[in-house]
Amino acid sequence: MNNIPNEGKVDFSKPILWIVIPCYNEKDVLPITAPMFLEQIQTMISKEKISAKSRILFVNDGSKDSTWDIICKLAQEDEHYIGISQSRNRGHQNAVLAGLMEAKDVCDITISIDCDGQDDITAMERMVDEYLAGAEVVYGVRSKRDTDTFFKRFTAESFYKLLDKMGVETVYNHADYRLISTRVLQEFAGFHEVNIFLRGMIPLVGYKNATVYYERHERIAGESHYPLSKMLALAFDGITSLSVRPISIITGAGCVVSLIGFVGIIWAIITAILGNAVPGWASIVCIVCFLGGIQLLSLGVIGEYIGKIYLESKHRPRYIISDKTWEPYERHYKG
């Protein structure tokens, strides 16, 4: 196993970069992409853009396959590879957060990226250039979606538009491929939400930012761990964690329905006085079903917010690190 990274003499003239890579059941793709990450980091070191103390941090998110064994083997083969393992699967966002928080005290910049090889790894160099030019956050943004199916492209673009309409500040067509300086991470550490949506939380920190555009490729190997159901869940988490607009929409809908109901009452009274009332169950059933549906939907949305308040009030740790490649016997707990 490696020693603790970055100990010894450090060249402060070049930033120390940690590439944070969440991994969940990636035994098929990791042996292919790991050398690609290493080649990229060595290229930037040779160009003297980053320090030789830079590292590639794999975050094992409670994988059920041999992902952690592969990470440990990589760490033995080259000092630039390091890894941490969570005590159980906690989801992509928590895995990225764990890596960022682990890195913030020992490096100058981090770049988070998925390990499937879809994001253009060479864009990292342009991200570092933007940082050296003064940007504290650099967002990796897809320039086009030609490799996506129509359904995937439609749902993904609708995802960002929906977030924008709901008042969540995000960067269009940006996922979790980004550079963040330690300065920003130190401030971000003050965000203690349990319900995490990094795409909407990082912009809240502020500081100077820049954008790097790149083309996204097909997944190199393995299967995607983000089907439509998870994308919808992520969108819902992002909206309810960072926006109260759905409650405002419910309030507005309630006012409209109440107004319609008030007009209906007046109409019913006038009809009864004129003696034109015709008994009918259809209209009553329609009104009852409509109002009942609105009420149940409203209660459901409000219930989601109450549920998130309940989870936040517990202050449970967002991740627990059970193992590190450079400190194999340490059990490190973080909240």
Side-chain angles (χ1 to χ4, degrees):
M1 296 290 180
N2 294 336
N3 293 323
I4 300 175
N6 300 333
E7 59 182 1
K9 187 176 180 181
V10 177
D11 184 0
F12 291 101
S13 63
K14 306 179 190 67
I16 298 174
L17 165 66
W18 277 34
I19 302 174
V20 177
I21 307 171
C23 304
Y24 178 68
N25 293 344
E26 300 291 2
K27 67 180 180 64
D28 294 328
V29 72
L30 201 53
I32 302 173
T33 56
M36 296 168 61
F37 290 118
L38 180 59
E39 180 182 0
Q40 181 59 38
I41 208 170
Q42 289 176 335
T43 297
M44 289 188 286
I45 291 173
S46 65
K47 292 182 178 180
E48 298 188 342
K49 292 189 176 183
I50 59 175
S51 168
K53 296 292 183 179
S54 298
R55 296 291 183 265
I56 302 167
L57 173 61
F58 295 107
V59 183
N60 177 43
D61 188 24
S63 298
K64 295 179 174 61
D65 60 9
S66 59
T67 295
W68 179 240
D69 294 332
I70 295 172
I71 293 172
C72 292
K73 183 179 179 181
L74 289 170
Q76 291 175 334
E77 294 173 352
D78 193 291
E79 65 177 359
H80 291 100
Y81 294 123
I82 56 176
I84 58 176
S85 183
Q86 298 207 87
S87 60
R88 53 157 292 176
N89 176 255
R90 294 178 180 270
H92 178 272
Q93 297 292 281
N94 291 78
V96 175
L97 177 70
L100 294 178
M101 293 299 100
E102 194 69 22
K104 68 181 176 61
D105 294 324
V106 289
C107 68
D108 300 301
I109 51 177
T110 64
I111 293 179
S112 58
I113 184 173
D114 292 338
C115 71
D116 54 18
Q118 288 188 280
D119 295 318
D120 184 6
I121 296 175
T122 62
M124 291 184 185
E125 187 171 340
R126 286 182 284 143
M127 289 182 174
V128 173
D129 289 339
E130 292 289 350
Y131 167 76
L132 295 174
E136 299 284 351
V137 180
V138 184
Y139 299 104
V141 177
R142 296 183 62 169
S143 58
K144 54 185 178 180
R145 289 184 170 271
D146 293 346
T147 58
D148 289 347
T149 63
F150 171 79
F151 180 76
K152 174 66 176 177
R153 181 167 58 252
F154 174 77
T155 54
E157 292 178 348
S158 298
F159 168 78
Y160 291 105
K161 291 176 181 178
L162 176 62
L163 291 175
D164 181 65
K165 294 295 183 182
M166 291 294 105
V168 180
E169 183 180 352
T170 59
V171 178
Y172 189 72
N173 271 341
H174 162 70
D176 288 296
Y177 188 17
R178 69 179 75 86
L179 178 149
I180 310 176
S181 71
T182 298
R183 182 184 183 189
V184 173
L185 286 179
Q186 294 292 349
E187 298 297 335
F188 185 70
F191 288 58
H192 300 295
E193 289 96 326
V194 173
N195 301 285
I196 302 169
F197 184 67
L198 296 175
R199 303 178 199 184
M201 294 173 67
I202 296 298
L204 296 178
V205 182
Y207 291 100
K208 183 179 179 180
N209 63 78
T211 299
V212 167
Y213 292 93
Y214 69 95
E215 291 187 17
R216 189 172 170 87
H217 311 298
E218 295 284 351
R219 184 181 176 89
I220 291 179
E223 297 180 355
S224 173
H225 301 301
Y226 251 86
L228 178 60
S229 58
K230 283 194 175 183
M231 285 295 294
L232 292 174
L234 183 64
F236 197 76
D237 283 343
I239 293 170
T240 54
S241 298
L242 297 168
S243 173
V244 294
R245 189 163 295 178
I247 294 181
S248 300
I249 293 174
I250 287 174
T251 302
C255 292
V256 172
V257 172
S258 297
L259 179 61
I260 294 174
F262 180 71
V263 172
I265 291 172
I266 296 176
W267 171 78
I269 293 174
I270 295 175
T271 302
I273 292 174
L274 295 176
N276 296 326
V278 178
W281 62 271
S283 58
I284 297 176
V285 170
C286 289
I287 293 173
V288 170
C289 290
F290 175 71
L291 292 177
I294 291 292
Q295 290 171 346
L296 289 175
L297 176 62
S298 302
L299 287 173
V301 174
I302 295 171
E304 287 291 335
Y305 278 94
I306 295 175
K308 281 184 165 44
I309 294 172
Y310 171 70
L311 293 175
E312 294 287 348
S313 67
K314 289 178 176 293
H315 299 294
R316 289 174 177 170
R318 294 174 292 183
Y319 61 90
I320 299 175
I321 298 174
S322 59
D323 288 288
K324 299 180 182 180
T325 58
W326 66 91
E327 294 173 2
Y329 299 107
E330 180 186 15
R331 295 296 179 265
H332 186 63
Y333 171 89
K334 275 200 173 186

